[in-house]
Amino acid sequence: MNATLGLTAPEARQRLAETGYNELAPPHARRFYEITADILREPMFLLLIAAGIIYLLLGSLEDALMLLCFVLIVIAMTVFQAQKSERVLVALRELSSPRAKVMRDGKPQRIAGREVVIDDLLLLTEGDRVAADAVLISCNDLMADESMLTGESVPVRKQADGQKTATMEPGGDDQPFVYAGTVLVQGSGIARVIATGKSSAIGRIGKSLEDTSSGTSPLRIQTAHLVRRLAITALAFCTALVLIYGYTRGHWLNALLAGITLAMSTLPEEFPVILSVFMSLGSWRISQHHVLTRRLDAIETLGAATLLCTDKTGTLTQNRMAIKKLYGNGQMLHVHELSELPEPWHELVEFGILASEKDPFDPMERALHELGKRTLSGSEHLHEQWEIVHEYSLSPEMLAMSHVWQGGDQPHHLVAAKGAPEAIIDLCHLPENEAASVSQVASDMADEGLRVLGVARARLIPGQRWPERQHDIEFSFVGLLGLSDPVRKGVHDAILQCHAAGIRVVMITGDHARTAVAIGRELGLPAQHVMTGAELNDLSDIELRARLRDIQVFARIAPQQKLRLVEGFKANGEIVAMTGDGVNDAPALKAAHIGVAMGNRGTDVAREAAALVLLDDDFTSLVATVRLGRRIYDNLRHAMSYTLSVHLPIIGIALLPVLLGRPLILMPAHIMFLELIIGPACSIFFEAEAEEKNIMQRPPRSAAETLFSGKRMAVSLWQGIAALTAAFAIYAWASWRVFDENTVRAFVFSGMVAGNIALLWANRSPSKLQKNPVLRWILLGSIGALLLVLNLPMLRELFHFSGSVFFVLFVGLLSALGTGLLSGAAKRAG
């Protein structure tokens, strides 16, 4: 390993093979038998097993074996879905793994924290969570919060000593060691890894890092209450049915079988499954838009968001400087994407570059070099071979810097200066009228949101003593440079989408108010009223709340002030999404309803406090996520409504024949067949539904709105009653025509399968015209399976069916039409 270049990729792979991943406890992946055991503990499967036992006691081996086949089919489907979910979770876990910046192959790279190995060089900066125990090779003002290891909340100071290898106990100032899991609260440094995983300090004391607790989301609470109520109702009905059947007919085994059938038809086991599928697949869908979901309840909150508070730099803009305007000789040039510069502007760019570092890090100097390479390449105005022989640094007294250059065969030194316009005006000793004119131009450029730099030039005779101050050099004014951080592509349209969707967008920046106003206008934000951090400090909480209703641009805001803004917006009744990237942003991110951290430039502390992480730091990704959050919630409501309505005809047909003293129509096998349609329909089909056409042209839903409002519950019940009416009409007609018991059962069952499909269609939104690919498979699967049980003699016997297949299917078609018409009428009336 090179002490400065870090490990090579092959060396890192070898260390990883030798020591394993840098983690305390690898995530447990459920095995096949564990998934199967969990399935068999579900109430539905316990009821199936009980029904199979009763069939055996009644001497019906065929029915018992058929139920066993259903158990195996559903286990196979559930295992497949569970393993698919596991793969999704693994992918999301890899995305959410803490990141570490290391030197690999001589280049800085950001890798998953679990891939850090011994002898890696960690590049540490403020806000990072340290990935492994390491010794500091160099550091600058580095302080760490080691409270999770020591219990002491006061940060400790660090100093470099790369020669030490034996670690010390955490705690105390001036140690050269940083420890896995601790947070850097100040400064930066480079450290060599000396312990990972269980060998680290946190591993030795046996304390594991735990995921951020998300609590119980409102949706889960609502679902749990609904399931509890339905389960109590189901138990009461089943008990009553068993007692009625047993006392009136005197056959208690058949009574238990009827009770099990009713229990299977009323058990609300789909609701928790729907919620889990929608949340996990929703997280995966959101990740496709470069957004990581750390807390699942954020998905349901997205649809209710009324306010998006966003940083300017890097989120609304590209976080890079570009030269937009050049001013010289009384003229202004809009540079934009010019590939060639007119001759009069060559000198300005030339001396701007000469006033910069040869290999710049500063974004403004990099913008100058990029413009020079693009427009002056191959000309005499780029001087790569020249050398800096003297420098004058920027100081509080003189906000300008100068480079003295020697190059070529010129008999003199060239001096290039750049800095604040007022400083360059001072260096050039401009006449009062010319100085006022340049100052006015600089002010006008600043009002457009540009960062303005002045450029000057001078000559010095070699051999003379360097002037003590820049001010002693006779400079000539060259011109002004106007730089800006370009707005990200698509942000303006994304803000318009938010406005149409009833969501206010608020820009919060640390920049000057004039810059904030200019960027706000470019983005389409109302910028006539701007609040600065100084004004914010002078307002009481009540005054602040009143002002917040009219302001969408905030300037000169410190990170600590964001928390007060969030609390003020929340007090006004807003549902707040807040972006942030620094250590000091964490309290505001945690206080917001939806905290959104930056993935590229954000600190670990900010990411851990947030509910969502923008992996590309792009505002358009956040708006796309809000859109997707609305779609997920809409589809979830449709799925829940369908599930509630589809159970009513099953319950009715399981219960009514017993109350009327007639033979049972539905048996456990029939219920399982229907469940094989309901399961994929209520989760996979509705989850895959496209968004509604007006999804971003309607206001956010109320945060107090429940999943099942009174109106939605009534529509679902009426749709279920419509399907039950169609099924019971078939039952009454077939009984009146004195068909035999098995033919009646076939008619009713075919009608219920068709009715389920009609309910599926009825619960789709009328504005969704796009095709859902899952629908085709549900239709083909349902119709194909129905044809098999109606046509194959063995299956006909097991399902206790008889009668003309064509006639049975025709009755099913009529049932679908009747259910569709009645449920559609119920939906329109609701």
Side-chain angles (χ1 to χ4, degrees), residues 214-228 271-280 283 295-297 299-300 636 640 707:
S214 60
T216 305
S217 73
L219 265 184
R220 293 189 183 278
I221 294 172
Q222 289 181 43
T223 305
H225 287 167
L226 179 63
V227 169
R228 193 177 302 116
F271 289 110
V273 173
I274 293 170
L275 192 57
S276 297
V277 168
F278 268 72
M279 293 300 108
S280 60
S283 297
R295 294 208 314 264
L296 291 180
D297 59 326
I299 296 175
E300 62 187 82
L636 180 62
M640 293 289 195
L707 197 60

Side-chain angles (χ1 to χ4, degrees), residues 106 141 159 183 209 248 270 274 321 353 370 375 422 441 558 570-571 589 606 677 703 710 731 829:
D141 297 329
Q159 67 175 11
V183 177
L209 292 169
T248 57
E270 292 95 350
I274 293 170
M321 299 303 290
I353 294 172
E370 288 171 6
T375 61
E422 59 271 20
V441 172
K570 287 170 66 176
L589 293 177
I677 301 174
Y731 176 71

Side-chain angles (χ1 to χ4, degrees), residues 295 301 309 559-571 574-579 584-596 606 608-611:
R295 294 208 314 264
T301 311
C309 296
Q560 299 89 333
Q561 293 176 310
K562 289 184 179 180
L563 177 60
R564 193 169 176 218
L565 288 175
V566 169
E567 297 292 359
F569 282 124
K570 287 170 66 176
E574 304 279 8
I575 303 298
V576 182
M578 162 70 78
T579 69
N584 293 330
D585 290 333
L589 293 177
K590 212 155 197 174
H593 296 98
I594 309 167
V596 185
E608 290 176 13

Side-chain angles (χ1 to χ4, degrees), residues 794-822:
M794 181 181 69
L795 292 177
R796 279 169 65 93
E797 187 176 341
L798 287 173
F799 275 79
H800 304 283
F801 289 158
S802 63
S804 166
V805 174
F806 177 80
F807 198 12
V808 168
L809 291 176
F810 178 72
V811 169
L813 179 61
L814 292 178
S815 173
L817 290 173
T819 301
L821 290 173
L822 290 172

Side-chain angles (χ1 to χ4, degrees), residues 644 708-721 826 830:
L644 183 63
F708 274 113
S709 61
K711 178 181 176 181
R712 183 168 290 274
M713 177 74 80
V715 170
S716 295
L717 291 175
W718 278 114
Q719 286 181 337
I721 291 171

Side-chain angles (χ1 to χ4, degrees), residues 343-395:
E343 180 65 34
W345 309 97
H346 288 188
E347 184 184 49
L348 175 55
V349 176
E350 175 186 6
F351 278 89
I353 294 172
L354 290 175
S356 306
E357 298 295 332
K358 294 188 72 172
D359 186 16
F361 178 78
D362 180 84
M364 290 186 288
E365 293 187 350
R366 293 176 68 173
L368 267 167
H369 277 265
E370 288 171 6
L371 179 63
K373 288 178 182 177
R374 192 174 80 240
T375 61
L376 300 179
S377 181
S379 73
E380 60 182 7
H381 298 284
L382 296 182
H383 311 286
E384 296 180 3
Q385 305 304 319
W386 287 15
E387 296 294 332
I388 298 176
V389 293
H390 192 67
E391 293 185 62
Y392 294 94
S393 299
L394 192 84
S395 68

Side-chain angles (χ1 to χ4, degrees), residues 66 70 665-666 670 673-674 677 730 740-754 757 781-813:
M66 183 174 60
F70 271 120
I665 294 295
L666 295 181
H670 304 121
F673 186 100
L674 293 171
I677 301 174
I730 294 171
D740 64 88
E741 179 184 323
N742 288 349
T743 303
V744 172
R745 182 176 292 111
F747 281 138
V748 174
F749 184 76
S750 175
M752 292 181 69
V753 171
I757 295 172
S782 302
I783 296 171
L786 183 60
L787 286 172
L788 284 176
V789 298
L790 289 175
N791 279 289
L792 292 180
M794 181 181 69
L795 292 177
R796 279 169 65 93
E797 187 176 341
L798 287 173
F799 275 79
H800 304 283
F801 289 158
S802 63
S804 166
V805 174
F806 177 80
F807 198 12
V808 168
L809 291 176
F810 178 72
V811 169
L813 179 61

